[in-house]
Amino acid sequence: MSTLFDLTGRTALITGSVRGIGYALAEGLAAAGAAVIVNSRQQAAVDEAVGKLQAKGYAARGLAFDVSNEAAVQAAFARLDQDGVEVDILINNAGIQFRKPMVDLALSDWQRVLDTNLTSAFVVGKEAAKRMIARGRGGKIINIGSLTSEAGRATVAPYTVAKGGIKMLSRAMAAEWAQFNIQANSIGPGYILTEMNTALIENPDFNAWVKASNPAGRWGQPEEMVGTAIYLASAASSYVNGQIIYVDGGWLSVL
Ligand code: NDP
């Protein structure tokens, strides 16, 4: 059997992975052979997610920290160094949404969304890449974008700007780190059934719009991001760099 997609022997840190897309990615990478590090801001949620993964027989450990706090990110990586844990695969997945018309949007809310969804990927990516470069055996970085990496939507300006930035951050990472055999790519999920979208899922008009405007005629499931993540985390994508792959049921392909 091909070992192209085998992640055995690799360690993956997935930020924001106690639920939703991040948890699905942690479980999916673990099933492909990786040891996974689960993260969120809440220690109890991290412990619970690690417990669920371990109960399935996967190698999992937890690391609670806030991706928007540089000192906390640095302390988390120092802890991994102390424990001899080397991150081969980083998925910058942690994110928040905040909906408000731009004319009513406070600068502090704009900044919070940018810090959590974009600057965090630079800060966590920098700590991971420094170590990948020093070890000299390459690495994989996957940044989670969105349909808004490509297209605008009303009331989500900072999220749209952050996710557009994620697409370009992957390219900037590729430009600087490809020489160290690090591949940095993005995944752009369509509308996925997670807690982030609770209000939209419960809104019948929005639900009808999703089903009518997406050629797949439905929302996506978090688990449907896993195949692309394994591809971008594995040797199968060793010459793929700076790309964004939309996993959206074909949404961005139609008008
Ligand atoms: P969820 O709200 O279900 O999960 C978000 C995760 O991020 C949680 O584990 C949360 O844990 C964690 N998190 C939030 N802020 C921080 C922080 N500052 N530091 C560390 N962890 C944090 O969201 P989704 O699973 O829906 O989204 C995951 C990613 O996918 C996000 O980047 C999102 O923008 C993106 N995405 C989602 C889409 C969707 O339709 N759902 C579509 C396109 C992209 P905690 O709150 O405990 O810290």
Side-chain angles (χ1 to χ4, degrees):
M1 201 163 85
S2 167
T3 55
L4 261 184
F5 297 91
D6 185 7
L7 301 181
T8 304
R10 315 274 166 74
T11 297
L13 166 62
I14 303 102
T15 66
S17 47
V18 299
R19 61 173 189 263
I21 293 171
Y23 182 80
L25 294 179
E27 185 169 345
L29 263 59
V36 295
I37 306 168
V38 173
N39 157 263
S40 97
R41 291 165 294 186
Q42 321 290 335
Q43 186 67 54
V46 168
D47 291 344
E48 194 187 328
V50 168
K52 278 200 301 190
L53 292 167
Q54 287 176 343
K56 293 186 176 183
Y58 298 133
R61 61 185 284 150
L63 198 55
F65 62 91
D66 182 341
V67 295
S68 68
N69 177 337
E70 186 181 25
V73 171
Q74 288 171 339
F77 274 86
R79 173 79 193 277
L80 291 175
D81 293 343
Q82 254 175 22
D83 293 353
V85 178
E86 299 181 341
V87 174
D88 306 292
I89 301 160
L90 166 66
I91 305 188
N92 280 313
N93 168 80
I96 52 167
Q97 181 55 287
F98 184 74
R99 294 173 191 279
K100 196 160 251 197
M102 241 190 298
V103 289
D104 299 324
L105 185 67
L107 177 59
S108 56
D109 287 325
W110 167 277
Q111 201 62 59
R112 183 168 55 86
V113 175
L114 266 291
D115 284 349
T116 306
N117 292 7
L118 176 59
T119 308
S120 65
F122 155 64
V123 171
V124 182
K126 174 181 162 184
E127 291 306 314
K130 272 200 293 201
R131 290 162 173 83
M132 290 172 183
I133 292 166
R135 288 197 294 269
R137 40 166 221 270
K140 297 283 190 174
I141 299 177
I142 302 169
N143 298 311
I144 303 299
S146 155
L147 294 177
T148 60
S149 297
E150 204 64 45
R153 290 278 299 160
T155 75
V156 291
Y159 186 85
T160 306
V161 169
K163 294 301 190 180
I166 280 286
K167 176 173 74 174
M168 296 313 293
L169 177 66
S170 300
R171 292 180 181 165
M173 288 174 166
E176 290 198 22
W177 300 336
Q179 62 182 311
F180 304 111
N181 194 25
I182 295 171
Q183 288 86 47
N185 293 286
S186 308
I187 295 175
Y191 281 95
I192 312 300
L193 289 167
T194 70
E195 204 172 304
M196 180 180 275
N197 288 330
T198 302
L200 303 181
I201 294 162
E202 287 169 356
N203 177 334
D205 291 341
F206 195 89
N207 244 304
W209 175 76
V210 167
K211 288 176 185 159
S213 48
N214 186 334
R218 64 174 177 85
W219 292 73
Q221 297 288 345
E223 295 72 26
E224 292 182 285
M225 307 303 116
V226 170
T228 306
I230 291 174
Y231 165 59
L232 292 176
S234 68
S237 59
S238 57
Y239 201 55
V240 178
N241 222 337
Q243 299 300 307
I244 180 163
I245 302 179
Y246 292 101
V247 185
D248 66 352
W251 203 323
L252 283 175
S253 303
V254 297
L255 275 177

